[in-house]
Amino acid sequence: MTPSAPPNPSDTNHLRPSRARRRTWTTALTAAAAIALAGAFTPAAGQGPSAPSAPACDSTTAITTAYGKLCGITDTVTVGTQQVKTRAWLGIPYAKAPVGANRWQPPVDTSFVALQATQRGPKCVQDSASYTRTISGNDTTIKSTTIVVGSEGCLYLNVWAPPGTTGSSALPVMVFIHGGAFVTGTGASPLYRGAYMAARGNVVIVTINYRLGPFGFLSAPNARGGLSFGGNQGLLDQQKALQWVQRAIAPFGGDPGKVTLFGESAGAMSVGLHLFSVPTSTGLFRAAIMESNPMGVQYKNTARADSDGTSFLNTLCVRAAGTCTLYRDSWAQRVDAATVMAANGDYLKLGDIARVSKGGLTEALPWTPVVDGAVVTGEPYRGYAAGTTAKPFIFGMNRDEGVYFAAAAQKGGGVILDPTVFRDIVRSLFDVPGDTTNQHRIMSTADTSGSAVTLPYNPAGHASIANLDTTASAMAQLITDYAFNCGNLVAANVADTSTAARISNAAASLPVYAYRFEQHPFFNLYAGVTACTPGADTFNICHAYELPYVFHSLAWAQAQNWNTAQPTPADAAVSDAMVTAWTAFAANPGQAPAQGWQAYTPGGATYLFGGSGGGQMQGGLANGANCSALWSTLPPLNGTTVKGGTASASLP
């Protein structure tokens, strides 16, 4: 269960202010800077003349693509002791702005005559937080204010290429999908700067934006005037970006036949959908990497998504103050973005815990893709759907995935998290109405002698994890084991079985690789979440903590949320190992990504990054997670459907 959207570490909103301000610290959020470009190249859509000047185009970056002419910039990065000048093209529109009649519709192709791709495009509309830290004596108070940032005209991507590439270089291409619970984040974050990966791994890196929250995942079959909002707009944006790569990446030096799709958190969920469950995406990439995919989370079916969508439109109608009756044919597409997000706040005010308790596991995230039978044809944890093609893939988790989410629930999920509420959540997630059998199995089970054995999901018997009470600690353990460890274990095992049944010698030709990330953090990406703060004696390796290592953006991580520790040579070594492994897999997905990294077999070992055994194979994913004894026997991992909630009131 993932009961809250984290303050996204991919966002620049958590950048730390000057060290000179020792007592009161403020981090302000700003929208992406808009720019006006001069010369033969026209500005990208959504860029305006009032913003600061963009960097000048570098003549060595001028290329011609299937969509128009581009020029970019030189992005210099240090690799080892060498200064390497990569080439970067930023803020490239891959689809028309999804506004007006295009709002809540599939993305539409775009083109341009000539474009200065020298500045990142705006992030997609989302809520974000401004953090203020006040220190008084030994007390520290961190407050946040939620504001709306971004633009609807946000369908941009960014490309980095190693020096010396030409249209005939045919390098591997890596396309990254950012996380953020499908409600926040941007592929333009400096966390995802692709210069180091491009230079170190000799690959072409692409990062993308996609529509978020209600703009990306509103499902409503009868939104007046015959309009139909399908619920997978954000997923189709990702697919459109992949189609753009197929048509346009060669002039950048990339080979469209060598595309690896990778992502983290909601980005990894997206990768899993494209890999296992979206037949129309299967020909757009050849390999995949999923970082921290909560595979145990079940997606909404159309009935549940349409019910939620109708409820949201009801709320939007109230916020729109009569607009929904004034413009009956397309009122929802005429409402301004700020009103849509205000309605989103109203819609979600019930809180994460209360929403999950009422609606079940499919409400763990308020906005997600929908298993609609057209775009998404199955649940990823059930393996490859009909029409998809099996591919090599990497999957893995961080050691303490559930800690952030439990800490967020403890801090405020609309309901005070206590043992009674926790039991209600477990019952809502895993029991059928009137039957608490599964709840009792999760809270305690029996060994072979019949004696009661307490599992680590009972608050009464759980030790406190750093800065979490025993209830939140039990929830953290449940999320880590069920959603991440066991969800991924079941998915990998089913994928292996279904692939082997269809493809001769699948294990040899389509290997799967599993990893576990255990590097001791020197940073905290989440303002105010002390459970994810580094410590000498006790620390947690929280969700998203591998990202600065994958992109070698360690200096960026150090600058977040008043962190003071510096990355060590060990941090740099782990980062270099991950960059090398990820790019090696993109170049040769049929071979081991690193020396000694053995292909995954059901229940088998994983490769460790960081920790005392870094660079070696370690015990299997199921170790201590109660996968076969518990989670794989419960819905949804046993193949049955979990509670999905009831229909809401009709559209006004």
Side-chain angles (χ1 to χ4, degrees), residues 140-342:
T140 299
T141 301
I142 297 177
K143 297 181 179 180
S144 67
T145 302
T146 299
I147 60 175
V148 177
V149 298
S151 167
E152 282 194 79
C154 62
L155 300 185
Y156 294 92
L157 54 77
N158 313 287
V159 181
W160 284 265
T165 55
T166 68
S168 60
S169 296
L171 296 179
V173 181
M174 301 185 70
V175 180
F176 181 75
I177 304 178
H178 71 79
F182 295 110
V183 297
T184 187
T186 171
S189 168
L191 171 59
Y192 308 136
R193 178 187 175 202
Y196 190 90
M197 292 189 81
R200 179 69 177 81
N202 200 35
V203 298
V204 175
I205 299 293
V206 180
T207 66
I208 69 172
N209 286 351
Y210 56 96
R211 280 173 283 181
L212 302 167
F215 292 101
F217 302 101
L218 173 66
S219 178
N222 298 299
R224 294 205 182 281
L227 293 176
S228 179
F229 306 150
N232 285 314
Q233 299 91 324
L235 201 66
L236 290 172
D237 292 343
Q238 299 166 7
Q239 187 181 83
K240 180 64 70 176
L242 288 170
Q243 292 167 347
W244 187 97
V245 167
Q246 288 296 307
R247 290 189 62 197
I249 205 64
F252 297 91
D255 185 339
K258 299 177 182 176
V259 175
T260 294
L261 187 58
F262 72 125
E264 182 271 341
S265 192
M269 296 170 76
S270 301
V271 172
L273 286 162
H274 291 294
L275 176 64
F276 295 120
S277 304
V278 182
T280 52
S281 291
T282 198
L284 300 176
F285 60 103
R286 69 170 182 175
I289 302 173
M290 295 176 285
E291 302 169 28
S292 301
N293 184 348
M295 270 289 193
V297 175
Q298 189 174 39
Y299 295 98
K300 299 174 185 178
N301 59 24
T302 51
R304 181 69 221 179
D306 291 347
S307 172
D308 285 352
T310 298
S311 294
F312 174 78
L313 288 173
N314 286 340
T315 306
L316 178 58
C317 182
V318 173
R319 270 283 178 175
T323 301
C324 60
T325 57
L326 181 62
Y327 300 108
R328 295 184 66 86
D329 290 340
S330 57
W331 69 272
Q333 292 172 307
R334 296 172 183 257
V335 177
D336 64 272
T339 301
V340 174
M341 291 307 291

Side-chain angles (χ1 to χ4, degrees), residues 517-528:
F517 181 76
E518 291 196 2
Q519 180 65 8
H520 185 156
F522 66 90
F523 51 78
N524 183 0
L525 296 183
Y526 303 116

Side-chain angles (χ1 to χ4, degrees), residues 76-85:
T76 303
V77 65
T78 302
V79 180
T81 60
Q82 301 296 315
Q83 295 287 301
V84 180
K85 293 183 177 181

Side-chain angles (χ1 to χ4, degrees), residues 321-652:
T323 301
C324 60
T325 57
L326 181 62
Y327 300 108
R328 295 184 66 86
D329 290 340
S330 57
W331 69 272
Q333 292 172 307
R334 296 172 183 257
V335 177
D336 64 272
T339 301
V340 174
M341 291 307 291
N344 187 57
D346 295 340
Y347 173 65
L348 299 179
K349 68 181 179 181
L350 182 65
D352 300 313
I353 292 176
R355 190 180 64 251
V356 170
S357 295
K358 180 181 178 181
L361 187 59
T362 58
E363 295 292 342
L365 296 174
W367 297 107
T368 64
V370 181
V371 182
D372 60 354
V375 178
V376 180
T377 60
E379 293 282 355
Y381 62 81
R382 300 310 302 159
Y384 292 99
T388 59
T389 301
K391 308 175 191 298
F393 65 89
I394 292 174
F395 72 98
M397 287 74 64
N398 299 351
R399 191 189 68 185
D400 305 300
E401 292 281 5
V403 167
Y404 167 75
F405 303 104
Q410 179 179 272
K411 289 174 70 65
V415 175
I416 297 174
L417 180 62
D418 60 23
T420 300
V421 169
F422 180 72
R423 287 182 174 85
D424 288 343
I425 292 172
V426 172
R427 185 182 302 115
S428 295
L429 292 179
F430 302 105
D431 278 329
V432 297
D435 184 352
T436 60
T437 301
N438 291 339
Q439 178 224 311
H440 289 301
R441 287 190 61 203
I442 292 168
M443 306 304 281
S444 63
T445 188
D447 62 19
T448 54
S449 66
S451 301
V453 176
T454 300
L455 287 178
Y457 317 113
N458 190 328
H462 205 289
S464 175
I465 296 174
N467 298 300
L468 297 179
D469 63 26
T470 57
T471 304
S473 298
M475 175 177 277
Q477 190 74 53
L478 185 151
I479 294 170
T480 298
D481 288 351
Y482 158 67
F484 290 95
N485 288 334
C486 300
N488 278 275
L489 179 76
V490 168
N493 292 351
V494 171
D496 178 82
T497 302
S498 64
T499 303
R502 292 191 285 130
I503 301 174
S504 176
N505 197 24
S509 61
L510 297 167
V512 174
Y513 296 96
Y515 76 88
R516 185 175 173 89
F517 181 76
E518 291 196 2
Q519 180 65 8
H520 185 156
F522 66 90
F523 51 78
N524 183 0
L525 296 183
Y526 303 116
V529 182
T530 55
C532 292
T533 300
D537 299 319
T538 177
F539 59 90
N540 292 303
I541 303 164
C542 288
H543 188 66
Y545 273 27
E546 87 291 350
L547 282 169
Y549 295 86
V550 169
F551 283 91
H552 202 75
S553 50
L554 300 176
W556 180 91
Q558 191 278 327
Q560 307 313 295
N561 302 321
W562 313 283
N563 294 321
T564 57
Q566 300 289 329
T568 67
D571 291 308
V574 171
S575 175
D576 210 49
M578 297 192 81
V579 171
T580 301
W582 267 224
T583 56
F585 180 74
N588 295 291
Q591 299 180 12
Q595 185 176 4
W597 193 343
Q598 302 165 19
Y600 175 80
T601 57
T606 61
Y607 188 82
L608 187 66
F609 287 102
S612 59
Q616 302 177 40
M617 298 298 294
Q618 300 294 305
L621 285 174
N623 289 358
N626 302 294
C627 294
S628 60
L630 180 67
W631 298 115
S632 62
T633 70
L634 299 178
L637 297 183
N638 66 354
T640 61
T641 301
V642 296
K643 176 182 176 182
T646 57
S648 58
S650 61
L651 185 69

